[in-house]
Amino acid sequence: MITLTERQSLILKAIVRDYTEGGNPVGSKSLVQELPTKVSSATIRNEMARLEDLGLIVKTHLSSGRMPSIKGYRYYVDHILKPEKVDNKDLKVIQHSLGGEFHKIDEIVAQSADILSQLTSYTTFTLRPELKDSRLSGFRLVPLGNHQVMAILVTNNGDVENQTFTIPNDITGDELEPVVRFIDDQLVGLPLQDVFRQLNQEIPLKLAKYLRDPDGFVDIFGRVLSKAASERFYVGGKLNLFNYTDQQSPKELQSLYSLLDQTDSLASVIGSPGQHIQVRIGNEITNDLLKNYSLITATYDVDQHGQGVIALLGPTAMPYSRMIGLMGAFQRELAGKLLDYYRYFDE
Amino acid sequence: MITLTERQSLILKAIVRDYTEGGNPVGSKSLVQELPTKVSSATIRNEMARLEDLGLIVKTHLSSGRMPSIKGYRYYVDHILKPEKVDNKDLKVIQHSLGGEFHKIDEIVAQSADILSQLTSYTTFTLRPELKDSRLSGFRLVPLGNHQVMAILVTNNGDVENQTFTIPNDITGDELEPVVRFIDDQLVGLPLQDVFRQLNQEIPLKLAKYLRDPDGFVDIFGRVLSKAASERFYVGGKLNLFNYTDQQSPKELQSLYSLLDQTDSLASVIGSPGQHIQVRIGNEITNDLLKNYSLITATYDVDQHGQGVIALLGPTAMPYSRMIGLMGAFQRELAGKLLDYYRYFDE
DNA sequence: TTTAGCACTCTTTATCTACGAGTGCTAATA
DNA sequence: TATTAGCACTCGTAGATAAAGAGTGCTAAA
């Protein structure tokens, strides 16, 4: 356990701030003016040597200024930083952007990623509240003519998914009636997980009574069901990558870009944050591509509807204090908006 | 009108080829070995001086090798190049990728952009056949419970669009019945353009009989209609930008990236190609961002269903011969696939 | 414990040099 | 007249050298 003196702490804080703002290693002389008590640059050098011994700051070469190490950022985030109160203008932006009419949870969540990336100039990820409490609340088959039928699935959260499929012969609504009724009787009201299970077991057999081709139907139904049950991160501010990545290595930029398109990799990188707001810095992130970046993740609670996730990817040298404040505010606003949404459907 | 001697033409061709393959300006000595008839480097230098006078090739500095100018590429494409017969393996890839089952035209067209970008390592755009002959062939309103209704619109081409919306009070299918019937009577069978027109004129008045809030309905209907009638380019191989853009200017790369996300800008850049396969090089493209790139555009005919567009963006130094061959093959395959698709719904 | 002073390190930038690839021109050749 | 050999000249690249500047660590004095 590292304990710093008051002055060491102030110096570390100043180094973090200066390096974050200027991007250049920070020298002892420039720090003289930034400490509340007047000390000479030599004193600061001595303190810096100690901070370096502790592994909190590093030099790029023998006679360069210092910059924070991963460990240094860690200490700063854990012990020094105070979350900045969110800027009033930023709060207005959030509230205004979330204020509109949305038809789907996913729209709200996707929009959130965009707002947050706009406010931060970084890249953001949002995940809707988990679906473990989602239940099937309705199923429709709508014949569209021209060999086409649309399957529509509704959950108790108001989520709607649909999938059009093509069938060999035209069919009327009447012929589909018994199938829909069967689904209504057997499956409506069940959690999606249970529907999945039954779909692979008893359903195909039972359906054989009504349909010549139950397998085809089961396939379609499974597809819509997967859509409704799939958890998928929305990504905002992809283009912001250009603002904070190392401009010298386009290869890396390209890899990052393609990482952002892989939902499953994203999920494993972001994980499900245990704490309320978690900061992972550099190699603390379980993905080598991101070892020079920082990831702030946060959950948001929507009461009995479960938790969602918001996340922020930026450079290790980011203004943590402002970002954490912002994440906190966003957490609250988004949770509030979703609660309103759910409440509307629970009436 | 420029006319080149046989030998000049061969030299220009060799310069284009070498520069495209190697990326470096081409000198007279290296060309000696590439011409069918043995001539000295001095002769080639003389010829090159003439080609330069004509503006077909340029030097980067006084004593550098030569590279083709825009005008040089233009001449090469117009008079020298012979489209390469498409590679058999590539053809297999195309046919296989388009061979599967698709539920929507847009899926086929979107998939096409991906295949083409994969085959070329460049960036591609595809546009579905124009919709001017599209007619409204069906409209449904499906109450989903929980204040939600889904509007579904079907066209005679088998295109299906839908939009879920929220209404103040729950409603049953019966109440919506007259509205749907009214739409069926008045609008089904009309070209989408006409539907649009009527929607803004007589429809709101007539609907007032059946609905308290015709404006709200008209809004929803308009939204689904726009979705069905909107022409939108699919983009493939965005990440390939990294392979062929100037690695030195991330700013430019960023601008290009955001250009690819702007459907309307894309449309104006690509336009609607008059010829079957059109090559635009460098500043011939009406967008300054693309002045160092080449754009190959092509239409594909789907008989009475209109024309679509495929396009390819790459460096000015691209293997035109192979690319044009590829575009030709793709044109045919895609048109064929879509014809099959339409035929299925026309039965 | 703090500080002034100083030698030392390392990066950055500019200047110079040598090298090589390629050109244009001239004069000789077929 | 068209082609070619020869040569001086240009320009970009890479490496070497030097000077400036920022910053450090250490020593010795306050």
Side-chain angles (χ1 to χ4, degrees), chain A residues 105 109 127-130 133 157 276 299-309 331-343 346:
Chain A
I105 297 242
V109 177
L127 186 65
R128 48 165 302 155
E130 61 212 16
D133 69 327
N157 294 325
H276 223 44
T299 53
Y300 59 91
D301 281 313
V302 199
D303 287 3
Q304 78 277 23
H305 303 285
Q307 297 188 314
V309 178
Q331 232 177 4
R332 287 188 297 278
E333 296 297 328
L334 178 56
K337 176 74 183 175
L338 289 180
L339 266 181
D340 285 351
Y341 185 92
Y342 282 121
R343 207 168 290 137
D346 286 348

Side-chain angles (χ1 to χ4, degrees), chain A residues 27-47:
Chain A
S28 54
K29 276 179 203 149
S30 66
L31 286 179
V32 171
Q33 300 137 40
E34 310 205 23
L35 294 187
T37 49
K38 262 273 179 302
V39 288
S40 75
S41 65
T43 305
I44 295 183
R45 276 202 291 286
N46 288 333
E47 294 283 36

Side-chain angles (χ1 to χ4, degrees), chain B residues 84-97 115 119 322 325-326 329-330 332-333:
Chain B
E84 202 172 285
K85 195 170 169 321
V86 66
D87 184 282
N88 221 313
K89 212 167 58 191
D90 289 348
L91 191 59
K92 282 270 163 53
V93 172
I94 299 174
Q95 290 171 337
H96 180 260
S97 310
I115 306 165
L119 287 174
R322 172 165 175 254
L326 209 47
F330 204 88
R332 287 189 296 279
E333 296 296 329

